[in-house]
């Protein structure tokens, strides 16, 4: 125990402040984007702000707790968490769907999205498993195939919930962690990557609504009243914002033109109100976070810390990249929230918990940060 205390140092403050800046921007923008929608739907313009503030405070508390907890202790709870996620992911089918998707466990006014937890549990499993298997990671059957089957099982459960986006995030992060963990490039790029891409297209083209999303992404104006509607409204918001924006709180698209503007398309409201400058600031903060996350992974005390930091950083990076690409019309519309910024209690608290783990890894680095 004394040995662990001796190795504990200061957190990476650049990462710490970057997280809090993104969180602060998120709280402000959730209020700005949701106020009109909330007063119409809930008769309270601050309805979503108050809930987001509660989750933000809870998330900060959880983050500070995880910052002080040695991340190595998580290893003994990995299998329990992995097994525990299965009934949670199945339990969502007992609750009413939302637009055909089963993603939530609802208990009165509270709701929980198990897939948000599952993606981080997969990171814990991969980090622990790759370390335990050692050189077997270079073996296609005992290494790469084994980990892909486990990740694929959980991604499949999430896909059954009609949540291709989170399922895709899990598989992308699995690929990244296997690469960092030492899997052979010929296995990953020669077999795994083509297989994942092929499966992605298979799932898209065998589902009518996913196929419609892809085709409307290429030309949203061919169906402007249905599948192309949200993307077109996003274009209007980003275009209206220009370089400097219309001003905080001055969005026109949030006045019931953009469906639920405080959720997945909140970045378009940032573009409308804060302009290109605001968008660049948000993107820059994510870039800083990713670079610091990579630095934490490189300088981690051990391979487990390296893999854990890689997985956590990758989840935030992949989700931010997908969300911004969707909002700007660079890829088909999919339901991936913008980390720390989009409205959502489950995602926010679990993301902040993961940030606590990442910062704890930074406390036990081998080298000092610059």
């Amino acid at each position: 125990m004394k040995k662990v205390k001796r190795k504990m140092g200061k957190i990476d403050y650049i990462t710490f402040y970057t997280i809090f800046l993104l969180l602060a921007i998120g709280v402000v923008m959730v209020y700005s984007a949701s106020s009109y929608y909330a007063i119409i739907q809930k008769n309270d313009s601050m309805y979503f702000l108050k809930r987001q503030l509660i989750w933000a405070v809870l998330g900060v508390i959880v983050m500070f707790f995880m910052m002080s907890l040695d991340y190595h202790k998580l290893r003994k709870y990995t299998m329990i968490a992995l097994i525990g996620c299965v009934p949670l992911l199945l339990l969502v089918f007992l609750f009413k769907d939302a637009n055909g998707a089963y993603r939530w466990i609802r208990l009165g006014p509270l709701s929980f999205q198990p897939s948000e937890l599952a993606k981080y549990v997969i990171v814990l499993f991969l980090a622990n498993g790759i370390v335990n298997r050692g050189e077997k990671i270079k073996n296609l059957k005992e290494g790469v195939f084994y980990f892909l089957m486990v990740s694929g099982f959980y991604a499949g459960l999430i896909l059954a919930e009609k949540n291709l986006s989170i399922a895709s995030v899990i598989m992308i992060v699995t690929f990244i962690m296997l690469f960092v963990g030492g899997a052979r490039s010929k296995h990953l790029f020669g077999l795994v990557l083509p297989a994942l891409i092929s499966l992605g297209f298979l799932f898209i083209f065998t589902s009518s609504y996913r196929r419609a999303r892809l085709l409307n992404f290429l030309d949203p104006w061919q169906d402007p009243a249905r599948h192309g509607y949200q993307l077109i409204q996003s274009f209007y918001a980003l275009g209206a914002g220009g370089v400097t924006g219309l001003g905080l709180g001055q969005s026109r698209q949030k006045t019931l033109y953009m469906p639920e503007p405080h959720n997945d398309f909140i970045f378009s409201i940032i573009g409308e109100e804060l302009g290109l400058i605001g968008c660049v600031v948000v993107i820059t903060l994510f870039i800083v976070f990713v670079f610091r996350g990579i630095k934490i992974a490189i300088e981690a005390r051990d391979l487990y810390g390296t893999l854990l930091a890689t997985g956590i950083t990758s989840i935030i990076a992949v989700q931010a990249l997908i969300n911004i690409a969707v909002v700007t019309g660079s890829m088909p519309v999919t339901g991936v929230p913008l980390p720390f910024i989009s409205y959502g209690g489950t995602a926010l608290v679990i993301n902040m918990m993961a940030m606590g783990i990442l910062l704890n890894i930074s406390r036990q680095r081998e080298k000092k940060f610059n």
Side-chain angles (χ1 to χ4, degrees), residues 313-335:
T313 303
S314 296
I315 284 178
I316 300 298
V318 171
Q319 285 200 200
L321 181 63
I322 291 175
N323 180 275
I324 294 171
V326 165
V327 169
T328 56
S330 303
M331 67 174 289
V333 174
T334 184

Side-chain angles (χ1 to χ4, degrees), residues 16-262:
F16 180 81
Y17 292 131
T18 300
I19 292 166
F20 269 86
L21 280 171
L22 285 167
L23 182 63
I25 291 171
V27 171
V28 171
M29 289 311 304
V30 163
Y31 176 53
S32 180
S34 68
S35 57
Y36 190 89
Y37 179 86
I39 204 166
I40 298 296
Q41 298 290 329
K42 307 292 183 180
N43 201 31
D44 179 4
S45 65
M46 300 179 70
Y47 177 83
F48 294 104
L49 170 65
K50 288 184 285 190
R51 293 170 71 90
Q52 191 75 350
L53 274 173
I54 292 171
W55 292 119
V57 171
L58 182 59
V60 170
I61 293 170
V62 172
M63 186 188 78
F64 275 102
F65 173 76
M66 297 307 295
M67 277 169 52
S68 63
L69 180 70
D70 182 5
Y71 66 90
H72 295 93
K73 293 181 179 180
L74 297 171
R75 296 187 69 173
K76 62 182 178 181
Y77 301 109
T78 298
M79 290 309 298
I80 296 173
L82 193 69
I83 295 169
C85 275
V86 175
L88 290 176
L89 290 170
L90 293 173
L91 200 58
V92 298
F93 293 103
L94 299 179
F95 295 85
K96 184 173 170 49
D97 67 293
N99 298 320
Y102 297 86
R103 301 180 184 180
W104 301 91
I105 296 173
R106 293 183 174 86
L107 300 171
L110 300 177
S111 59
F112 174 70
Q113 190 173 0
S115 59
E116 290 291 336
L117 177 63
K119 64 189 180 187
Y120 284 113
V121 170
I122 291 296
V123 167
L124 290 173
F125 162 74
L126 289 168
N128 187 53
I130 291 171
V131 170
N132 288 340
R133 297 220 160 197
E135 288 299 308
K136 288 183 179 179
I137 191 66
K138 299 183 184 296
N139 183 284
L140 181 61
K141 183 179 178 181
E142 295 184 64
V144 173
F145 187 72
Y146 167 74
F147 291 113
L148 283 175
M149 287 298 97
V150 175
S151 293
F153 171 74
Y154 286 86
L157 288 178
I158 293 169
L159 188 64
E161 300 173 0
K162 300 290 181 67
N163 195 346
L164 177 62
S165 52
I166 297 299
S168 300
V169 169
I170 286 175
M171 297 313 296
I172 292 169
V173 172
T174 297
F175 182 90
I176 293 170
M177 291 185 69
L178 288 174
F179 178 77
V180 173
R184 296 184 185 277
S185 296
K186 65 178 182 180
H187 293 158
L188 292 177
F189 293 97
L191 296 173
V192 176
L193 187 59
L196 290 178
I197 293 172
S198 299
L199 279 173
F201 278 107
L202 177 66
F203 287 127
I204 289 171
F205 284 102
T206 54
S207 171
S208 58
Y209 83 93
R210 292 191 189 116
R211 186 169 62 249
R213 279 185 172 184
L214 177 63
L215 297 175
N216 278 279
F217 147 73
L218 298 173
D219 183 12
W221 280 273
Q222 69 177 344
D223 187 10
R226 294 177 63 230
H227 296 293
Y229 179 80
Q230 200 165 23
L231 185 55
I232 291 172
Q233 299 307 313
S234 178
F235 288 158
Y236 288 157
L238 293 170
V243 175
T244 58
L246 301 177
L248 188 62
Q250 301 303 309
S251 167
R252 293 188 289 264
Q253 296 306 117
K254 70 182 183 183
T255 58
L256 303 187
Y257 290 102
M258 177 73 72
E260 298 189 5
H262 49 291

